[in-house]
């Protein structure tokens, strides 16, 4: 009789967020690196310090470009 094995989930801690560098974030939003720093300080972008570098979460980068509903817009 062969023993049964149970597959192990690759990430038992949940989903692992994707990160981009500040330069990549600036390029994606067509703004300067200083603007990315201001957006992080204001809380518009979620970022983490990993080692000596600051990384922006790809999810927060995607939500920054979400258009707002404008009154009277069609």
């Amino acid at each position: 009789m062969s023993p049964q094995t149970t597959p192990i989930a690759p990430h038992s801690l949940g989903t692992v967020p994707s990160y981009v560098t500040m330069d990549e974030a600036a390029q994606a939003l067509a703004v300067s690196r200083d603007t990315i720093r201001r957006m992080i300080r204001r809380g518009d972008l979620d970022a983490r310090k990993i080692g000596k570098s600051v990384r922006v979460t790809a999810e927060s980068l995607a939500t920054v470009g979400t258009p707002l509903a404008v009154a009277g817009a069609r």
Side-chain angles (χ1 to χ4, degrees), residues 18-26 28 46-48 54-58 61:
S18 297
Y19 293 94
V20 297
T21 65
M22 289 182 53
D23 287 334
E24 292 169 335
D46 185 29
R48 298 285 182 269
V54 175
R55 302 294 169 113
V56 178
T57 61
L61 190 62

Side-chain angles (χ1 to χ4, degrees), residues 20-36 39 45 56 61:
V20 297
T21 65
M22 289 182 53
D23 287 334
E24 292 169 335
Q27 186 176 23
L29 296 179
V31 296
S32 70
R33 191 177 165 128
D34 288 336
T35 299
I36 294 297
M39 293 173 84
L45 287 175
V56 178
L61 190 62

Side-chain angles (χ1 to χ4, degrees), residues 39-71:
M39 293 173 84
I40 292 169
R41 242 181 282 136
R42 284 193 313 249
D44 295 338
L45 287 175
D46 185 29
R48 298 285 182 269
K49 187 163 186 173
I50 302 173
K52 292 184 177 183
S53 62
V54 175
R55 302 294 169 113
V56 178
T57 61
E59 183 180 345
S60 71
L61 190 62
T63 60
V64 168
T66 305
L68 300 174
V70 179

